[in-house]
């Protein structure tokens, strides 16, 4: 039976509200369909050998072709030239040609693949084969670097989730079989031995143990689990043998969900990505029509101008204008930001949330489990009527010896000595008040101030701050023990870092009483706080902050991801602390901080700012270089090789710049 041992509204005592769990669904509808078939199947595993082999074949055809071009060109009908360059062209450009064809059939004519296809086929038509292959080859190399960068980013995420179990001990009629977790079905029984990872979410049907949840929740204290309780994939069994009935397939487990969410973070596109998509939609047809004009008009209007000369310039213009650098590097910049954040223990569910973090000027924190550990600890022992501190603590530890309540555990931990359970008799939990038991033939009660009032036990002061356990022996008051929830080590640094970054307001919302809230806000240097709030009142508080934030400013809320689901849902950016094991955190929060450290909030904002900076560097750089080369191409100064550099070179430089986000 659960008890409330903290100070409650009774007579003269401060009250504390008790939170209900609100698991509201939270959907930021930022998803948008991609307008470019330019994802290169990033969902599948990247294999460098498979990518490098075709490149080696292409280069073995291309390099001799370039070296001996003049000799090949002079052969009968240039057969030798075609035999080398056409296979190289098809091998290097097949994915581009296929995508362009598929997009044309779908009615999406003008995109970067269309520009490349027209430009390279045109180059082949006017017998510029090395240049045509060069465009496709260097584009393929650009794709390879992109894939390597994306793979590195994904590996950063996977490194966080090394908790992924390798096998499950499946219980069958024949005995125990070691199988892959993916093959286990709902309802089947698995056995987890001490030291093994729990491979799937399920319910314990036999055994009890302690499990290490640190990989999922950031909590260092092992959790006791018993028959009937739910355990999650990724927890490590520390002690007893557990028989678990599987309740979710591996793909639906907490770990699989999180990995999937972050790997598919690109689907939630940032505003800058959407801008580039729209920009390419209008930019590409404009470029095509300008190229047509360059090819057709000068031979008609300028005397001495030849069609072949101006068609070549038009093709150069097409290659230069290709927006590959932007289309590749901008999503990659954001993906790098997501991967870089993951490497630092911050799971961002989409690039749109990195964008939103840039505009955050108010950060709101929940108290318990966010700024504090949410772990109870004896902070003060105040004996009375002839008892000393050690005697009072010993009495409290004995009377609490049968309880599994976190407060009871903190008292026993503080005492540290062995307790003979036979000394404790007639143990009784008084629901909502505390405990009564006989210790060494004396009637001892331990509980809230309400229990003292109920038993008519005289005591001096009930206006005490925090969670207080009062004790009385044979109806005589013996003193009280103050249980405190410790501040996280980096909580103060977290607030200071946010202020240093220029965050205008830091706010704390808590269900705890005014006195505790005031002390913690003062200790941490938080600008303002609201105390004694129910979960729905926290939503109202967030609404007020949102209404006063300003037109372009955003509000971030940082909570534990379970009790605070409605508030996380309402904020512009919802962040869950150490809630990786809870479905509420996974479904509700936009950002999950795996390390349980509040200082990661400032780090997340810093990563978002760096990502934005690199993305805009790429946009400015790509457009400036292309602008210069377009002018040179029209004037006839730039050849197809300069065009290849302007296109693929810019893309490669932008990719290398984008990968800086991960460092």
């Amino acid at each position: 039976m659960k008890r409330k041992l903290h100070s409650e509204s009774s007579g003269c005592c401060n009250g504390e509200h008790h939170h209900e769990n609100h698991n509201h669904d939270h959907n930021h509808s930022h998803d948008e369909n991609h307008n470019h078939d330019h994802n290169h199947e990033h969902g599948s595993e990247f294999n460098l050998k498979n990518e490098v082999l075709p490149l080696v074949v292409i280069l073995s055809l291309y390099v001799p072709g370039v070296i001996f071009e003049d000799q090949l060109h002079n052969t009968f009908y240039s057969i030798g030239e075609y035999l080398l360059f056409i296979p190289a062209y098809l091998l290097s450009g097949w994915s581009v040609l296929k995508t362009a064809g598929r997009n044309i059939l779908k009615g999406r004519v003008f995109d970067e693949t269309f520009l490349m296809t027209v430009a390279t086929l045109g180059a082949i038509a006017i017998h510029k084969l090395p240049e045509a292959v060069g465009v496709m080859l260097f584009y393929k190399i650009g794709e390879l670097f992109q894939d390597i960068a994306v793979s590195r980013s994904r590996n950063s995420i996977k490194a966080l989730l090394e908790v992924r179990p390798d096998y499950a001990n499946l219980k069958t009629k024949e005995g125990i079989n070691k199988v892959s977790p993916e093959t286990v079905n709902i309802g089947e029984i698995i056995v987890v031995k001490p030291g093994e990872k729990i491979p799937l979410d399920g319910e314990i049907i036999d055994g009890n143990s302690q499990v290490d949840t640190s990989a999922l929740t950031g909590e260092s204290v092992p959790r006791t689990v018993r028959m009937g309780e739910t355990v999650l994939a990724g927890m490590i069994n520390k002690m007893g043998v557990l028989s678990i009935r599987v309740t979710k397939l591996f793909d639906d487990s907490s770990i699989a969900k999180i990995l999937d969410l972050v790997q598919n973070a690109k689907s939630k596109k940032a505003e800058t990505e959407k801008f580039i998509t729209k920009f390419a939609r209008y930019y590409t047809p404009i470029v095509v029509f300008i190229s047509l004009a360059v090819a057709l008009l000068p031979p008609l209007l300028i005397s001495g101008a030849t069609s072949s000369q101006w068609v070549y310039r038009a093709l150069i213009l097409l290659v230069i204008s290709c927006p590959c650098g932007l289309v590749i590097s901008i999503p990659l910049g954001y993906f790098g930001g997501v991967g870089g954040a993951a490497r630092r223990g911050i799971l961002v569910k989409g690039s749109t949330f990195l964008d939103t973090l840039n505009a955050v000027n108010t950060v709101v924190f929940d108290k318990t489990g966010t700024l504090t550990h949410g772990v109870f600890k004896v902070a003060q022992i105040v004996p009375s009527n002839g008892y000393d501190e050690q005697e009072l603590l010993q009495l409290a530890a004995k009377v609490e010896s049968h309880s599994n309540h976190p407060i009871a555990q903190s008292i026993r931990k503080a005492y540290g000595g062995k307790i003979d359970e036979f000394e404790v008799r007639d143990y009784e939990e008084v629901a909502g008040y505390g405990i009564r038991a006989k210790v060494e033939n004396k009637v001892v009660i331990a509980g809230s101030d309400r229990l003292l009032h109920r038993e008519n036990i005289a005591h001096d002061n009930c206006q005490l701050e925090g969670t207080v356990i009062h004790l009385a022996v044979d109806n005589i008051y013996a003193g009280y023990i103050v249980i405190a929830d410790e501040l996280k080590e980096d909580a103060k640094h977290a607030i200071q870092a946010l202020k240093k970054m220029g965050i205008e307001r830091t706010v704390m919302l808590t269900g705890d009483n005014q006195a505790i809230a005031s002390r913690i806000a003062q200790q941490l240097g938080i600008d303002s706080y609201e105390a004694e709030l129910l979960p729905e009142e926290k939503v109202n508080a967030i609404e007020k902050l949102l209404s006063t934030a300003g037109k372009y400013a955003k509000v971030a809320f940082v909570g534990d991801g379970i009790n605070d689901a409605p508030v996380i849902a309402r904020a512009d950016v919802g962040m869950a602390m150490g809630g990786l094991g809870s479905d509420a955190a996974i479904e509700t929060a936009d950002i999950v901080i795996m390390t349980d450290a509040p200082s990661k909030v400032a780090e997340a904002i810093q990563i978002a700012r760096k990502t934005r900076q690199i993305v805009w560097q790429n946009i400015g750089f790509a457009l400036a270089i292309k602008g210069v080369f377009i002018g040179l191409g029209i004037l006839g100064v730039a050849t197809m090789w300069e065009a290849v550099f302007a296109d693929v070179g810019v893309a490669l430089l932008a990719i290398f710049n984008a990968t800086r986000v991960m460092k």
Side-chain angles (χ1 to χ4, degrees), residues 561-581:
I562 300 163
N563 290 337
D564 299 312
V567 207
I568 287 174
R570 185 61 195 92
D572 292 313
V573 184
M575 303 173 86
M577 297 289 291
L580 211 67

Side-chain angles (χ1 to χ4, degrees), residues 281-324:
R281 200 182 297 153
Y282 294 108
Y283 165 86
T284 310
I286 290 168
V287 165
V288 170
F289 289 121
I290 290 173
S291 299
L292 271 175
V294 168
L296 300 174
L297 296 179
L300 298 175
L301 302 175
I302 302 168
S303 60
T306 62
S307 292
S308 60
Q309 178 194 11
W310 285 97
V311 165
Y312 183 59
R313 288 187 188 184
L315 293 174
I316 290 169
L317 184 60
L318 278 179
V319 175
I320 292 169
S321 305
C322 187
C324 303

